[in-house]
Amino acid sequence: MQTPVLYIVIPCYNEEAVLPITAPLFLEELTLLKTEKLISDDSRIMFVNDGSKDKTWEIITDLSKQDKSYVGVCLSRNRGHQNALLCGLMEAKDLADITISIDCDGQDDIKAMTEMVKEYHTGCEVVYGVRSKRDTDTFFKRFTAESFYRLLNSMGAEVVFNHADYRLVSSRVLKEFSNFKEVNIFLRGMIPMVGFKSTSVYYERHERIAGESHYPLRKMLALAFDGITSLSIKPIRIITGIGIFVSLLSFIFIIYTLIRYFTGNTVEGWASTSSIICFLCGVQILSLGIIGEYIGKIYLETKGRPRFIVSERTYDEDSDC
Ligand code: UDP
Ligand code: MG
């Protein structure tokens, strides 16, 4: 097999504190892979600036001037991690044979790339990076993150446990993936849908080298909710189930009330009546809310707006980097 061109795709949002530290680490790994003849000399590190408000883009353009291994794409505004990553992957799919996506904060073990590329050479088109331990995460982060994967799987969104977006994907898979046109994207749940031979490599997750996390609990919950409602209709099924169950209970209750009425025991139970009304109101509003979520998604999908807009590149779009 010819040595493949690798593009390492790295979304960056307000990462001026960490980029100057991690960029050379990525280059080091790229050079190592080149010297081991695992990848071609045309391989690159592609930073995607997700509308940062700090000096991130300046740092990326400087890097691209220093070394031609660094290239950069700039989004016209902040679109969030998933869209920024998608943009990088879509840019890279025509330039590379394989891509590895990774965060720019050095939390994921950069050295695991060697194993990923080796797995590609054995015929795997997708290689998932899976966190073997989370010792450096706080108990709270570990608990919420692991509950996140359990919740996703129990709700029918199939994801690889403890795999975030550190993964090798071949351009062949990405070309097929580009036919997935939805705007509500959750890459780690969608890539497995494409299929092809896949495997996992395990690594230890470190602490962030510098800067702050952009994924507080609030955003993680939003991501989990997005993942579930984008990938599965199980919540609607659960609501239907609850609806049937509650209706059945109400039916039994009506029979009970009628029996009491005909036996002359019609003592008005204010507490039970009002609690039932409250309960049903609650269930209905919740159900409407969840159904509304799906309708909202349909609304967004029908508009088919672009998922990202590139404003600048450090390379010429039509030529090879
Ligand atoms: N990120 C991005 N756009 C955003 C938020 C984050 O491109 O709106 C990038 C960020 O620069 C980093 C990656 O997504 O490379 C993961 O973010 P972070 O490390 O803050 O999340 P955590 O690892 O704490 O879950
Ligand atoms: Mg991080």
Side-chain angles (χ1 to χ4, degrees), residues 103 105 107 205 208:
D103 294 349
D105 54 15
Q107 282 190 284
R205 183 168 159 91
R208 215 173 208 286

Side-chain angles (χ1 to χ4, degrees), residues 106-226:
Q107 282 190 284
D108 300 312
D109 186 8
I110 299 172
K111 302 226 173 311
M113 286 186 192
T114 312
E115 212 184 315
M116 288 184 171
V117 175
K118 282 184 180 158
E119 290 290 354
Y120 170 77
H121 282 283
T122 67
C124 292
E125 303 268 348
V126 181
V127 185
Y128 300 103
V130 177
R131 296 160 187 173
S132 57
K133 278 199 267 177
R134 280 178 172 269
D135 289 354
T136 52
D137 278 348
T138 60
F139 172 76
F140 183 71
K141 174 86 190 180
R142 198 164 60 216
F143 176 75
T144 49
E146 290 186 347
S147 310
F148 168 90
Y149 292 101
R150 289 206 180 89
L151 178 71
L152 282 171
N153 279 314
S154 66
M155 283 291 157
E158 275 173 45
V159 288
V160 178
F161 192 72
N162 264 340
H163 158 70
D165 281 306
Y166 185 20
R167 114 195 106 230
L168 178 147
V169 184
S170 71
S171 64
R172 183 172 167 209
V173 170
L174 287 175
K175 280 174 188 148
E176 298 299 338
F177 184 71
S178 63
N179 294 322
F180 287 52
K181 298 289 185 205
E182 61 236 63
V183 295
N184 295 289
I185 51 168
F186 186 61
L187 294 170
R188 70 190 81 162
M190 289 163 71
I191 294 283
M193 289 179 180
V194 185
F196 294 96
K197 191 173 173 205
S198 68
T199 187
S200 300
V201 302
Y202 296 86
Y203 67 93
E204 281 177 34
R205 183 168 159 91
H206 307 297
E207 273 174 76
R208 215 173 208 286
I209 291 182
E212 279 177 12
S213 167
H214 303 97
Y215 270 103
L217 183 61
R218 179 179 55 81
K219 273 207 190 172
M220 214 147 82
L221 284 176
L223 187 67
F225 200 74
D226 255 2

